[in-house]
Amino acid sequence: MSRFLTSPAVKPRRSRDITIISLLAILIIVMFVISMNTGLMRLSPLDVLHTLLGGGTEQQKLILFDFRLPRIVISILVGAGFAVSGCILQGLSRNALAEPSTLGINAGAGFAVIIFISFVPATTAAHIYVLPLMALVGAVLTAALIYVLTYRREDGLSPTRMILIGIAVGAGIYAFQLILSLRLDPQNFQFVSIWLAGKIWGGDWRFVLALLPWIVILVPFAFYKSRVLNLLSLGDQTSAGLGLPVEKERILLLASAVILSGTCVAVSGGIGFVGLIAPHLARRLVGPKHQVLLPACALVGALLLITADTIARWILQPAEIPTGIVVAIIGAPYFLYLLARSKA
């Protein structure tokens, strides 16, 4: 009986969610095409299509397949990864300001990278393979430290305490980053400065292959755990009363968010604003239910980052600015708008 009473209200909502998600996917495809046509060497849409179908000159194939396509794919993967990571952290902490950079996770990843660069020259080929691993290790160790400092036996993991400790740990790590950066030679210092500002520097199919398994495994895992996130958002006592193993599920989801963020930082540097603003945008579009929110969040993050990276490559040609700066310029006004409305 209740199914028939609720179905008229559920169907329009479900249809609206499907429409919004479809529009986001279409916008990503549009930006994908625009990004393939953006760069110092101009390629018309017909040239791109001809090259993708197996034609085109050797120069056009080199530009498209070896430079632009890997970077575009990485932008989409990183944007989705950061956004889903931020959405998980906001759901776990029940705090709208939670995201990898707020909790110091990105800072931990960057600190591990700087330590590695301090001892290994930037020109060494090992960077391609070791930097992602170092970033992941730094992110995991930082998250573990924050968890240990936050957890209390009497009340478990307090969301507010986790945010405050994360900010404090992140600030301390950034201070050590600055100290180590001052000891680098000019070449390594320039690399670290650009990397920390946020730049899709891993524009290579090897980085796509290194990042893709984590995204393919952890993003669907987050979707699978969407109902758990819905319960956790109700509070620990309510979740436990409904039979949910709160600490076990929280650790699994926290580990997923940290690994997603760490692997994304490895190929994009300190782009942290995506994980903060994408969940807000997605929540306004599809509502708070994580079954729909997480897919929409992944699409919003991918769209935001591919747009920012395209602008970063185009706006000051032939020079290029870090993608993280463009993300902040795009996202900060909207986030300030959200803060202004929350006070109203």
Side-chain angles (χ1 to χ4, degrees):
M1 181 69 176
S2 61
R3 182 183 63 182
F4 295 104
L5 291 174
T6 57
S7 59
V10 170
K11 286 183 178 179
R13 179 69 190 185
R14 185 175 299 171
S15 176
R16 179 177 176 271
D17 292 340
I18 292 173
T19 301
I20 290 173
I21 288 176
S22 300
L23 287 174
L24 288 171
I26 291 171
L27 288 174
I28 290 174
I29 294 172
V30 171
M31 281 308 306
F32 190 96
V33 174
I34 293 173
S35 188
M36 284 194 296
N37 289 274
T38 302
L40 184 60
M41 299 293 294
R42 297 290 298 175
L43 294 178
S44 69
L46 288 178
D47 290 335
V48 171
L49 180 61
H50 186 55
T51 306
L52 289 175
L53 293 176
T57 65
E58 291 300 320
Q59 184 184 41
Q60 290 172 339
K61 291 179 181 178
L62 178 67
I63 293 171
L64 195 61
F65 291 112
D66 291 351
F67 293 103
R68 292 187 186 172
L69 272 177
R71 181 163 178 167
I72 294 169
V73 173
I74 286 176
S75 298
I76 293 173
L77 295 177
V78 168
F82 273 138
V84 171
S85 176
C87 190
I88 292 172
L89 292 173
Q90 288 180 13
L92 289 176
S93 65
R94 302 189 298 278
N95 191 312
L97 296 178
E99 60 113 10
S101 61
T102 304
L103 294 177
I105 295 171
N106 288 358
F111 184 56
V113 169
I114 292 177
I115 290 176
F116 177 73
I117 291 175
S118 298
F119 296 97
V120 181
T123 55
T124 304
H127 276 65
I128 299 175
Y129 307 100
V130 180
L131 279 184
L133 178 61
M134 293 301 298
L136 179 58
V137 170
V140 170
L141 290 178
T142 303
L145 174 63
I146 294 170
Y147 188 89
V148 169
L149 294 176
T150 305
Y151 185 81
R152 294 290 184 273
R153 182 175 299 179
E154 58 273 11
D155 60 351
L157 197 71
S158 168
T160 302
R161 189 163 60 238
M162 184 170 69
I163 292 292
L164 294 175
I165 290 177
I167 292 173
V169 170
I173 291 175
Y174 277 123
F176 282 108
Q177 282 183 1
L178 180 60
I179 294 172
L180 286 179
S181 298
L182 295 175
R183 300 181 67 252
L184 297 175
D185 61 73
Q187 181 181 1
N188 285 331
F189 180 79
Q190 182 180 14
F191 172 80
V192 167
S193 299
I194 296 174
W195 191 87
L196 291 177
K199 180 180 178 181
I200 309 295
W201 69 280
D204 188 303
W205 287 113
R206 288 172 296 179
F207 289 94
V208 174
L209 295 175
L211 180 61
L212 187 61
W214 300 103
I215 301 295
V216 169
I217 294 171
L218 294 176
V219 170
F221 176 76
F223 295 170
Y224 174 71
K225 290 291 186 179
S226 58
R227 295 183 184 275
V228 174
L229 278 170
N230 288 337
L231 290 177
L232 288 173
S233 65
L234 300 175
D236 289 358
Q237 291 184 351
T238 303
S239 302
L242 293 172
L244 184 72
V246 174
E247 288 304 320
K248 175 185 174 182
E249 295 292 350
R250 180 182 282 125
I251 290 174
L252 285 174
L253 285 165
L254 181 61
S256 302
V258 169
I259 294 172
L260 270 175
S261 176
T263 52
C264 289
V265 167
V267 296
S268 68
I271 301 177
F273 207 70
V274 177
L276 182 64
I277 200 66
H280 285 274
L281 290 169
R283 197 173 289 111
R284 288 179 63 87
L285 291 173
V286 300
K289 289 183 63 176
H290 285 88
Q291 290 92 330
V292 184
L293 176 60
L294 283 167
C297 195
L299 292 174
V300 170
L303 178 61
L304 178 61
L305 198 56
I306 191 176
T307 302
D309 190 56
T310 303
I311 293 173
R313 291 188 286 118
W314 165 76
I315 194 168
L316 292 179
Q317 289 184 0
E320 180 181 322
I321 62 177
T323 308
I325 295 175
V326 181
V327 172
I329 293 173
I330 293 174
Y334 184 77
F335 190 66
L336 291 174
Y337 164 75
L338 289 178
L339 291 177
R341 283 201 57 176
S342 67
K343 294 179 181 179

